[in-house]
């Protein structure tokens, strides 16, 4: 037997088999094996050289700071975010600040408009169809009583009581907590422990400064004078005065300038200071309060921003305004009320149909800021059948933004889906407030139908722009060169609107 030859044959056979096995592996399998081998290789080595650097702890090589003035950049970033964060609180605080400085108001005085608002009421998307009623109080001085009259033939009130964050703590009126019955509300401050007396509807407030705004609805056969007189039945006083309430003071600012719009410059932050140097700080706001301290806003200390902070606050507020305006220019299609129209509702609630925008894992900061950027005194919860619907034209029928200097028209059907009335108000797109114009007309409504020229089918065509078409002055709302934001209000909307079987025609550009 030739043993050496047999051994050689066996070796050649093993080598050949091994080669075949390697060739039968696919390229992908081979690559995967190589990757696995590479991943098993340590990324660091215990064998370091004297010239090595730590793998982390500093920016990449050949980089530098984005600016040489990082102190300003940090303060600017904090100021910008603070504007968005504080939007609900600052927007409502401006009403209080202006009432006290412009109108000579005090806590528990009540504003009652003797007629509908004019452009002198500089406020976010206010109405000029129903007279407004408003008041402010400070629960640091103790619980406050608000007496609301019964709704009915003499009159009806609708509105909200809000806390310092502008979150509704009580909806008032037939669809609210009182259900239209004569009611004594009792608002108590944070941490109040005393027994609540009998005969009151108790509403605990998470904040000290609260406010309310109601609309006095002009019912069938009633006049604005009737609505004004009905509002005079309201009473507001401290619980400590309940045995002998003081005479109620009413203030009628109808012919006065009442400038409630937020300031988008460094003054915005003085309001932030005035609010949060008084109000309790919520757990979720402690981080922001820490950042505000770098801007000179601290509890227990005077408002004292340095020069860098002042520059940062001014620019931060300006940029935040532009940022939010841009969001409305790019209004999300999914928020349009009808998919084939260009109307968005003023009331864009969160996913829980509330307006806090708070979830288990986050606060939707941008969405919250945008909502309170153009609207105040929203309900506590958005009902499936709200008492009022608000539809804003975000674009014309061709999907183009409405422009300053152009004339637009809209056809209002004869059978508008309302139980009470409808109204079209035009705002300045920059401020979301009334436009100063000549004539001083901000609104046309179903109350004006006896003056408006009608179409053959009973509908009316309304015009919005710098100049009325010939012979149609009564159908026209002037814009005085401002970019318009037309908004329809549907008071007492029917199911046809709430269920979207009624579809509102879009605005059309005339010239």
């Amino acid at each position: 037997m030739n043993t050496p030859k047999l051994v050689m044959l066996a070796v050649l056979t093993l080598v050949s088999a091994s080669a075949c096995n390697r060739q039968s592996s696919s390229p992908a399998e081979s690559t995967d094996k190589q990757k696995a081998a590479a991943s098993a290789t340590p990324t660091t080595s215990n064998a370091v050289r004297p010239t090595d650097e730590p793998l982390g702890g500093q920016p990449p090589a050949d980089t530098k700071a984005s600016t040489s003035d990082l102190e300003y950049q940090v303060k600017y970033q904090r100021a910008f975010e603070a504007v968005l964060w504080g939007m609900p609180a600052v927007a409502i605080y401006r009403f209080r600040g202006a009432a006290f400085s412009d109108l000579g108001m005090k806590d528990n005085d009540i504003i009652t408009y003797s007629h509908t608002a004019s452009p002198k009421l500089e406020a976010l998307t206010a109405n000029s169809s129903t007279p407004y009623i408003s008041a402010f109080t400070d629960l640091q001085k103790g619980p406050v009583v608000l007496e609301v009259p019964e709704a009915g033939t003499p009159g009806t009130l609708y509105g909200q009581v809000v806390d310092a964050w502008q979150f509704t703590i009580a909806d008032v009126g037939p669809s609210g907590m009182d259900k239209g019955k004569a009611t004594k509300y009792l608002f108590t401050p944070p941490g109040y422990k005393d027994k609540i007396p009998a005969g009151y509807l108790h509403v605990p407030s998470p904040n000290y400064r609260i406010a309310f705004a109601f609309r006095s609805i002009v019912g069938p056969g009633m006049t604005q004078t009737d609505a004004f007189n009905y509002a005079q039945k309201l009473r507001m006083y401290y619980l400590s005065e309940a045995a002998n309430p003081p005479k109620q003071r009413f203030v009628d600012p109808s012919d006065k300038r009442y400038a409630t719009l937020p300031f988008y410059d460094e003054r915005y932050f003085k309001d932030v200071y005035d609010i949060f140097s008084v109000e309790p700080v919520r757990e979720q706001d402690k981080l922001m309060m820490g950042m505000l301290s770098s801007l000179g806003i601290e509890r227990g200390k005077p408002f004292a921003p340095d020069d860098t902070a002042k520059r940062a606050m001014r620019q931060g507020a300006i940029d935040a305004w532009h940022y939010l305006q841009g969001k409305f220019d790019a209004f999300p299609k999914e928020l349009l009320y009808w998919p084939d129209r260009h109307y968005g509702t003023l009331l864009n609630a969160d996913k829980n149909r509330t307006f806090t925008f708070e979830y288990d894992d986050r606060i939707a900061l941008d969405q919250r800021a945008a909502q309170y950027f153009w609207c105040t005194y929203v309900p506590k919860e958005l009902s499936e059948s709200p008492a009022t619907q608000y539809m804003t034209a975000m674009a014309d029928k061709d999907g183009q933004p409405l422009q300053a200097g152009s004339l637009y028209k809209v056809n209002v059907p004869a059978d508008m889906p309302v139980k009470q009335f409808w109204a079209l108000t035009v705002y300045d797109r920059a401020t979301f407030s009334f436009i100063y114009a000549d004539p001083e007309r901000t609104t046309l409504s179903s109350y004006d139908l006896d003056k408006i020229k009608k179409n053959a089918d009973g509908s009316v065509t309304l015009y919005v722009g710098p100049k009325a078409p010939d012979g149609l002055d009564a159908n026209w709302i002037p814009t005085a060169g401002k970019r318009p934001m037309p908004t329809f209000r549907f008071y007492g909307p029917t199911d046809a609107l709430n269920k979207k079987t009624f579809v509102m025609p879009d605005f059309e550009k005339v010239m």
Side-chain angles (χ1 to χ4, degrees), residues 420-445:
Q420 296 173 348
F421 68 96
W422 60 262
L424 172 64
T425 302
V426 177
Y427 303 104
D428 180 353
R429 177 64 173 70
T431 63
F432 305 117
S433 63
F434 297 135
I435 297 171
Y436 284 101
D438 183 19
E440 195 179 80
R441 178 188 293 159
T442 64
T443 300
L444 288 171
S445 74

PDB file of all heavy atoms in Angstrom, residues 420-445:
ATOM      1  N   GLN A 420     -79.580  82.364  15.438  1.00  0.00           N
ATOM      2  CA  GLN A 420     -79.624  83.745  15.912  1.00  0.00           C
ATOM      3  C   GLN A 420     -79.273  84.705  14.775  1.00  0.00           C
ATOM      4  O   GLN A 420     -80.152  85.295  14.174  1.00  0.00           O
ATOM      5  CB  GLN A 420     -78.692  83.916  17.121  1.00  0.00           C
ATOM      6  CG  GLN A 420     -79.124  83.092  18.324  1.00  0.00           C
ATOM      7  CD  GLN A 420     -78.117  83.120  19.451  1.00  0.00           C
ATOM      8  OE1 GLN A 420     -76.981  83.562  19.306  1.00  0.00           O
ATOM      9  NE2 GLN A 420     -78.517  82.609  20.611  1.00  0.00           N
ATOM     10  N   PHE A 421     -77.986  84.853  14.462  1.00  0.00           N
ATOM     11  CA  PHE A 421     -77.602  85.739  13.367  1.00  0.00           C
ATOM     12  C   PHE A 421     -76.198  85.399  12.900  1.00  0.00           C
ATOM     13  O   PHE A 421     -75.454  84.664  13.553  1.00  0.00           O
ATOM     14  CB  PHE A 421     -77.698  87.214  13.791  1.00  0.00           C
ATOM     15  CG  PHE A 421     -76.682  87.642  14.833  1.00  0.00           C
ATOM     16  CD1 PHE A 421     -75.492  88.261  14.460  1.00  0.00           C
ATOM     17  CD2 PHE A 421     -76.922  87.436  16.189  1.00  0.00           C
ATOM     18  CE1 PHE A 421     -74.562  88.663  15.403  1.00  0.00           C
ATOM     19  CE2 PHE A 421     -75.987  87.843  17.143  1.00  0.00           C
ATOM     20  CZ  PHE A 421     -74.814  88.452  16.742  1.00  0.00           C
ATOM     21  N   TRP A 422     -75.840  85.937  11.735  1.00  0.00           N
ATOM     22  CA  TRP A 422     -74.481  85.803  11.211  1.00  0.00           C
ATOM     23  C   TRP A 422     -73.863  87.188  11.073  1.00  0.00           C
ATOM     24  O   TRP A 422     -74.568  88.199  11.006  1.00  0.00           O
ATOM     25  CB  TRP A 422     -74.462  85.084   9.863  1.00  0.00           C
ATOM     26  CG  TRP A 422     -75.246  85.767   8.770  1.00  0.00           C
ATOM     27  CD1 TRP A 422     -76.517  85.470   8.378  1.00  0.00           C
ATOM     28  CD2 TRP A 422     -74.809  86.855   7.940  1.00  0.00           C
ATOM     29  NE1 TRP A 422     -76.918  86.306   7.355  1.00  0.00           N
ATOM     30  CE2 TRP A 422     -75.884  87.175   7.060  1.00  0.00           C
ATOM     31  CE3 TRP A 422     -73.638  87.591   7.837  1.00  0.00           C
ATOM     32  CZ2 TRP A 422     -75.808  88.192   6.114  1.00  0.00           C
ATOM     33  CZ3 TRP A 422     -73.552  88.614   6.892  1.00  0.00           C
ATOM     34  CH2 TRP A 422     -74.630  88.897   6.052  1.00  0.00           C
ATOM     35  N   ALA A 423     -72.541  87.228  11.035  1.00  0.00           N
ATOM     36  CA  ALA A 423     -71.827  88.499  10.885  1.00  0.00           C
ATOM     37  C   ALA A 423     -70.502  88.256  10.183  1.00  0.00           C
ATOM     38  O   ALA A 423     -69.839  87.241  10.412  1.00  0.00           O
ATOM     39  CB  ALA A 423     -71.582  89.137  12.247  1.00  0.00           C
ATOM     40  N   LEU A 424     -70.133  89.196   9.317  1.00  0.00           N
ATOM     41  CA  LEU A 424     -68.814  89.188   8.674  1.00  0.00           C
ATOM     42  C   LEU A 424     -68.031  90.379   9.198  1.00  0.00           C
ATOM     43  O   LEU A 424     -68.450  91.528   9.023  1.00  0.00           O
ATOM     44  CB  LEU A 424     -68.937  89.275   7.153  1.00  0.00           C
ATOM     45  CG  LEU A 424     -67.613  89.478   6.400  1.00  0.00           C
ATOM     46  CD1 LEU A 424     -66.682  88.271   6.582  1.00  0.00           C
ATOM     47  CD2 LEU A 424     -67.854  89.746   4.914  1.00  0.00           C
ATOM     48  N   THR A 425     -66.896  90.103   9.835  1.00  0.00           N
ATOM     49  CA  THR A 425     -66.006  91.148  10.340  1.00  0.00           C
ATOM     50  C   THR A 425     -64.674  91.036   9.619  1.00  0.00           C
ATOM     51  O   THR A 425     -64.185  89.927   9.385  1.00  0.00           O
ATOM     52  CB  THR A 425     -65.796  91.004  11.859  1.00  0.00           C
ATOM     53  OG1 THR A 425     -67.061  91.061  12.514  1.00  0.00           O
ATOM     54  CG2 THR A 425     -64.902  92.111  12.393  1.00  0.00           C
ATOM     55  N   VAL A 426     -64.097  92.177   9.297  1.00  0.00           N
ATOM     56  CA  VAL A 426     -62.804  92.191   8.609  1.00  0.00           C
ATOM     57  C   VAL A 426     -61.747  92.777   9.534  1.00  0.00           C
ATOM     58  O   VAL A 426     -61.921  93.877  10.073  1.00  0.00           O
ATOM     59  CB  VAL A 426     -62.873  93.003   7.302  1.00  0.00           C
ATOM     60  CG1 VAL A 426     -61.492  93.063   6.642  1.00  0.00           C
ATOM     61  CG2 VAL A 426     -63.882  92.373   6.350  1.00  0.00           C
ATOM     62  N   TYR A 427     -60.662  92.025   9.710  1.00  0.00           N
ATOM     63  CA  TYR A 427     -59.555  92.444  10.570  1.00  0.00           C
ATOM     64  C   TYR A 427     -58.313  92.746   9.736  1.00  0.00           C
ATOM     65  O   TYR A 427     -58.185  92.293   8.597  1.00  0.00           O
ATOM     66  CB  TYR A 427     -59.207  91.331  11.578  1.00  0.00           C
ATOM     67  CG  TYR A 427     -60.366  90.907  12.430  1.00  0.00           C
ATOM     68  CD1 TYR A 427     -61.035  89.714  12.189  1.00  0.00           C
ATOM     69  CD2 TYR A 427     -60.802  91.697  13.496  1.00  0.00           C
ATOM     70  CE1 TYR A 427     -62.102  89.311  12.971  1.00  0.00           C
ATOM     71  CE2 TYR A 427     -61.872  91.304  14.284  1.00  0.00           C
ATOM     72  CZ  TYR A 427     -62.519  90.110  14.007  1.00  0.00           C
ATOM     73  OH  TYR A 427     -63.588  89.731  14.787  1.00  0.00           O
ATOM     74  N   ASP A 428     -57.414  93.488  10.345  1.00  0.00           N
ATOM     75  CA  ASP A 428     -56.088  93.696   9.781  1.00  0.00           C
ATOM     76  C   ASP A 428     -55.292  92.411  10.004  1.00  0.00           C
ATOM     77  O   ASP A 428     -55.127  91.959  11.145  1.00  0.00           O
ATOM     78  CB  ASP A 428     -55.423  94.884  10.481  1.00  0.00           C
ATOM     79  CG  ASP A 428     -54.020  95.186   9.973  1.00  0.00           C
ATOM     80  OD1 ASP A 428     -53.475  94.401   9.166  1.00  0.00           O
ATOM     81  OD2 ASP A 428     -53.460  96.204  10.406  1.00  0.00           O
ATOM     82  N   ARG A 429     -54.801  91.815   8.922  1.00  0.00           N
ATOM     83  CA  ARG A 429     -54.076  90.537   9.042  1.00  0.00           C
ATOM     84  C   ARG A 429     -52.823  90.661   9.902  1.00  0.00           C
ATOM     85  O   ARG A 429     -52.376  89.681  10.502  1.00  0.00           O
ATOM     86  CB  ARG A 429     -53.722  90.070   7.627  1.00  0.00           C
ATOM     87  CG  ARG A 429     -52.908  88.806   7.535  1.00  0.00           C
ATOM     88  CD  ARG A 429     -53.652  87.599   8.069  1.00  0.00           C
ATOM     89  NE  ARG A 429     -52.882  86.413   7.794  1.00  0.00           N
ATOM     90  CZ  ARG A 429     -51.731  86.087   8.383  1.00  0.00           C
ATOM     91  NH1 ARG A 429     -51.211  86.869   9.303  1.00  0.00           N
ATOM     92  NH2 ARG A 429     -51.096  84.984   8.054  1.00  0.00           N
ATOM     93  N   ALA A 430     -52.247  91.854  10.015  1.00  0.00           N
ATOM     94  CA  ALA A 430     -51.026  92.034  10.798  1.00  0.00           C
ATOM     95  C   ALA A 430     -51.298  92.034  12.298  1.00  0.00           C
ATOM     96  O   ALA A 430     -50.492  91.530  13.080  1.00  0.00           O
ATOM     97  CB  ALA A 430     -50.332  93.337  10.405  1.00  0.00           C
ATOM     98  N   THR A 431     -52.434  92.588  12.706  1.00  0.00           N
ATOM     99  CA  THR A 431     -52.712  92.756  14.137  1.00  0.00           C
ATOM    100  C   THR A 431     -53.861  91.890  14.624  1.00  0.00           C
ATOM    101  O   THR A 431     -54.051  91.748  15.832  1.00  0.00           O
ATOM    102  CB  THR A 431     -53.071  94.215  14.450  1.00  0.00           C
ATOM    103  OG1 THR A 431     -54.288  94.563  13.758  1.00  0.00           O
ATOM    104  CG2 THR A 431     -51.959  95.163  14.023  1.00  0.00           C
ATOM    105  N   PHE A 432     -54.643  91.323  13.696  1.00  0.00           N
ATOM    106  CA  PHE A 432     -55.863  90.565  14.014  1.00  0.00           C
ATOM    107  C   PHE A 432     -56.891  91.436  14.741  1.00  0.00           C
ATOM    108  O   PHE A 432     -57.725  90.918  15.488  1.00  0.00           O
ATOM    109  CB  PHE A 432     -55.540  89.321  14.841  1.00  0.00           C
ATOM    110  CG  PHE A 432     -54.522  88.413  14.213  1.00  0.00           C
ATOM    111  CD1 PHE A 432     -53.300  88.182  14.835  1.00  0.00           C
ATOM    112  CD2 PHE A 432     -54.761  87.788  13.000  1.00  0.00           C
ATOM    113  CE1 PHE A 432     -52.344  87.348  14.254  1.00  0.00           C
ATOM    114  CE2 PHE A 432     -53.813  86.958  12.417  1.00  0.00           C
ATOM    115  CZ  PHE A 432     -52.608  86.729  13.045  1.00  0.00           C
ATOM    116  N   SER A 433     -56.827  92.733  14.548  1.00  0.00           N
ATOM    117  CA  SER A 433     -57.769  93.647  15.190  1.00  0.00           C
ATOM    118  C   SER A 433     -58.497  94.457  14.125  1.00  0.00           C
ATOM    119  O   SER A 433     -58.189  94.368  12.927  1.00  0.00           O
ATOM    120  CB  SER A 433     -57.042  94.571  16.166  1.00  0.00           C
ATOM    121  OG  SER A 433     -56.123  95.397  15.486  1.00  0.00           O
ATOM    122  N   PHE A 434     -59.475  95.261  14.575  1.00  0.00           N
ATOM    123  CA  PHE A 434     -60.238  96.085  13.649  1.00  0.00           C
ATOM    124  C   PHE A 434     -59.325  97.037  12.869  1.00  0.00           C
ATOM    125  O   PHE A 434     -58.243  97.396  13.332  1.00  0.00           O
ATOM    126  CB  PHE A 434     -61.272  96.918  14.407  1.00  0.00           C
ATOM    127  CG  PHE A 434     -62.320  96.118  15.132  1.00  0.00           C
ATOM    128  CD1 PHE A 434     -62.671  96.437  16.436  1.00  0.00           C
ATOM    129  CD2 PHE A 434     -62.982  95.069  14.522  1.00  0.00           C
ATOM    130  CE1 PHE A 434     -63.643  95.726  17.123  1.00  0.00           C
ATOM    131  CE2 PHE A 434     -63.964  94.343  15.186  1.00  0.00           C
ATOM    132  CZ  PHE A 434     -64.292  94.676  16.492  1.00  0.00           C
ATOM    133  N   ILE A 435     -59.810  97.469  11.716  1.00  0.00           N
ATOM    134  CA  ILE A 435     -59.076  98.401  10.860  1.00  0.00           C
ATOM    135  C   ILE A 435     -59.650  99.803  11.036  1.00  0.00           C
ATOM    136  O   ILE A 435     -60.866 100.000  10.926  1.00  0.00           O
ATOM    137  CB  ILE A 435     -59.176  97.972   9.385  1.00  0.00           C
ATOM    138  CG1 ILE A 435     -58.520  96.596   9.181  1.00  0.00           C
ATOM    139  CG2 ILE A 435     -58.531  99.008   8.470  1.00  0.00           C
ATOM    140  CD1 ILE A 435     -58.751  95.998   7.798  1.00  0.00           C
ATOM    141  N   TYR A 436     -58.777 100.773  11.311  1.00  0.00           N
ATOM    142  CA  TYR A 436     -59.202 102.171  11.308  1.00  0.00           C
ATOM    143  C   TYR A 436     -59.428 102.586   9.855  1.00  0.00           C
ATOM    144  O   TYR A 436     -58.494 102.539   9.041  1.00  0.00           O
ATOM    145  CB  TYR A 436     -58.146 103.062  11.944  1.00  0.00           C
ATOM    146  CG  TYR A 436     -58.094 102.981  13.455  1.00  0.00           C
ATOM    147  CD1 TYR A 436     -57.125 102.225  14.106  1.00  0.00           C
ATOM    148  CD2 TYR A 436     -59.012 103.672  14.242  1.00  0.00           C
ATOM    149  CE1 TYR A 436     -57.068 102.152  15.492  1.00  0.00           C
ATOM    150  CE2 TYR A 436     -58.969 103.615  15.639  1.00  0.00           C
ATOM    151  CZ  TYR A 436     -57.998 102.855  16.255  1.00  0.00           C
ATOM    152  OH  TYR A 436     -57.954 102.789  17.628  1.00  0.00           O
ATOM    153  N   ALA A 437     -60.650 102.979   9.520  1.00  0.00           N
ATOM    154  CA  ALA A 437     -60.964 103.308   8.136  1.00  0.00           C
ATOM    155  C   ALA A 437     -62.084 104.345   8.093  1.00  0.00           C
ATOM    156  O   ALA A 437     -62.723 104.637   9.105  1.00  0.00           O
ATOM    157  CB  ALA A 437     -61.378 102.048   7.372  1.00  0.00           C
ATOM    158  N   ASP A 438     -62.312 104.877   6.926  1.00  0.00           N
ATOM    159  CA  ASP A 438     -63.404 105.813   6.691  1.00  0.00           C
ATOM    160  C   ASP A 438     -64.199 105.291   5.506  1.00  0.00           C
ATOM    161  O   ASP A 438     -63.684 105.218   4.387  1.00  0.00           O
ATOM    162  CB  ASP A 438     -62.852 107.210   6.400  1.00  0.00           C
ATOM    163  CG  ASP A 438     -63.952 108.248   6.221  1.00  0.00           C
ATOM    164  OD1 ASP A 438     -65.085 107.978   6.671  1.00  0.00           O
ATOM    165  OD2 ASP A 438     -63.671 109.316   5.638  1.00  0.00           O
ATOM    166  N   PRO A 439     -65.441 104.862   5.712  1.00  0.00           N
ATOM    167  CA  PRO A 439     -66.206 104.936   6.957  1.00  0.00           C
ATOM    168  C   PRO A 439     -65.730 103.918   7.991  1.00  0.00           C
ATOM    169  O   PRO A 439     -65.055 102.949   7.654  1.00  0.00           O
ATOM    170  CB  PRO A 439     -67.627 104.619   6.504  1.00  0.00           C
ATOM    171  CG  PRO A 439     -67.437 103.728   5.304  1.00  0.00           C
ATOM    172  CD  PRO A 439     -66.227 104.261   4.616  1.00  0.00           C
ATOM    173  N   GLU A 440     -66.120 104.153   9.241  1.00  0.00           N
ATOM    174  CA  GLU A 440     -65.694 103.309  10.356  1.00  0.00           C
ATOM    175  C   GLU A 440     -66.601 102.091  10.449  1.00  0.00           C
ATOM    176  O   GLU A 440     -67.346 101.906  11.392  1.00  0.00           O
ATOM    177  CB  GLU A 440     -65.740 104.110  11.658  1.00  0.00           C
ATOM    178  CG  GLU A 440     -64.990 103.479  12.817  1.00  0.00           C
ATOM    179  CD  GLU A 440     -65.058 104.323  14.074  1.00  0.00           C
ATOM    180  OE1 GLU A 440     -66.099 104.267  14.767  1.00  0.00           O
ATOM    181  OE2 GLU A 440     -64.091 105.043  14.367  1.00  0.00           O
ATOM    182  N   ARG A 441     -66.502 101.246   9.438  1.00  0.00           N
ATOM    183  CA  ARG A 441     -67.335 100.038   9.389  1.00  0.00           C
ATOM    184  C   ARG A 441     -66.426  98.819   9.444  1.00  0.00           C
ATOM    185  O   ARG A 441     -65.554  98.647   8.596  1.00  0.00           O
ATOM    186  CB  ARG A 441     -68.171 100.011   8.113  1.00  0.00           C
ATOM    187  CG  ARG A 441     -69.039  98.753   7.969  1.00  0.00           C
ATOM    188  CD  ARG A 441     -69.690  98.706   6.602  1.00  0.00           C
ATOM    189  NE  ARG A 441     -70.664  99.778   6.435  1.00  0.00           N
ATOM    190  CZ  ARG A 441     -71.084 100.217   5.246  1.00  0.00           C
ATOM    191  NH1 ARG A 441     -70.591  99.685   4.132  1.00  0.00           N
ATOM    192  NH2 ARG A 441     -71.971 101.192   5.175  1.00  0.00           N
ATOM    193  N   THR A 442     -66.636  97.973  10.423  1.00  0.00           N
ATOM    194  CA  THR A 442     -65.829  96.765  10.572  1.00  0.00           C
ATOM    195  C   THR A 442     -66.605  95.503  10.244  1.00  0.00           C
ATOM    196  O   THR A 442     -65.999  94.463   9.983  1.00  0.00           O
ATOM    197  CB  THR A 442     -65.319  96.636  12.014  1.00  0.00           C
ATOM    198  OG1 THR A 442     -66.452  96.482  12.902  1.00  0.00           O
ATOM    199  CG2 THR A 442     -64.537  97.871  12.438  1.00  0.00           C
ATOM    200  N   THR A 443     -67.942  95.607  10.244  1.00  0.00           N
ATOM    201  CA  THR A 443     -68.788  94.413  10.191  1.00  0.00           C
ATOM    202  C   THR A 443     -70.061  94.674   9.391  1.00  0.00           C
ATOM    203  O   THR A 443     -70.620  95.771   9.432  1.00  0.00           O
ATOM    204  CB  THR A 443     -69.181  93.977  11.620  1.00  0.00           C
ATOM    205  OG1 THR A 443     -68.005  93.679  12.367  1.00  0.00           O
ATOM    206  CG2 THR A 443     -70.075  92.747  11.612  1.00  0.00           C
ATOM    207  N   LEU A 444     -70.508  93.659   8.666  1.00  0.00           N
ATOM    208  CA  LEU A 444     -71.856  93.598   8.119  1.00  0.00           C
ATOM    209  C   LEU A 444     -72.490  92.293   8.588  1.00  0.00           C
ATOM    210  O   LEU A 444     -71.804  91.264   8.648  1.00  0.00           O
ATOM    211  CB  LEU A 444     -71.837  93.661   6.589  1.00  0.00           C
ATOM    212  CG  LEU A 444     -71.488  95.018   5.975  1.00  0.00           C
ATOM    213  CD1 LEU A 444     -71.279  94.894   4.462  1.00  0.00           C
ATOM    214  CD2 LEU A 444     -72.570  96.058   6.281  1.00  0.00           C
ATOM    215  N   SER A 445     -73.758  92.328   8.919  1.00  0.00           N
ATOM    216  CA  SER A 445     -74.398  91.149   9.498  1.00  0.00           C
ATOM    217  C   SER A 445     -75.845  91.040   9.053  1.00  0.00           C
ATOM    218  O   SER A 445     -76.368  91.891   8.314  1.00  0.00           O
ATOM    219  CB  SER A 445     -74.350  91.229  11.029  1.00  0.00           C
ATOM    220  OG  SER A 445     -75.276  92.195  11.512  1.00  0.00           O
TER     221      SER A 445
END
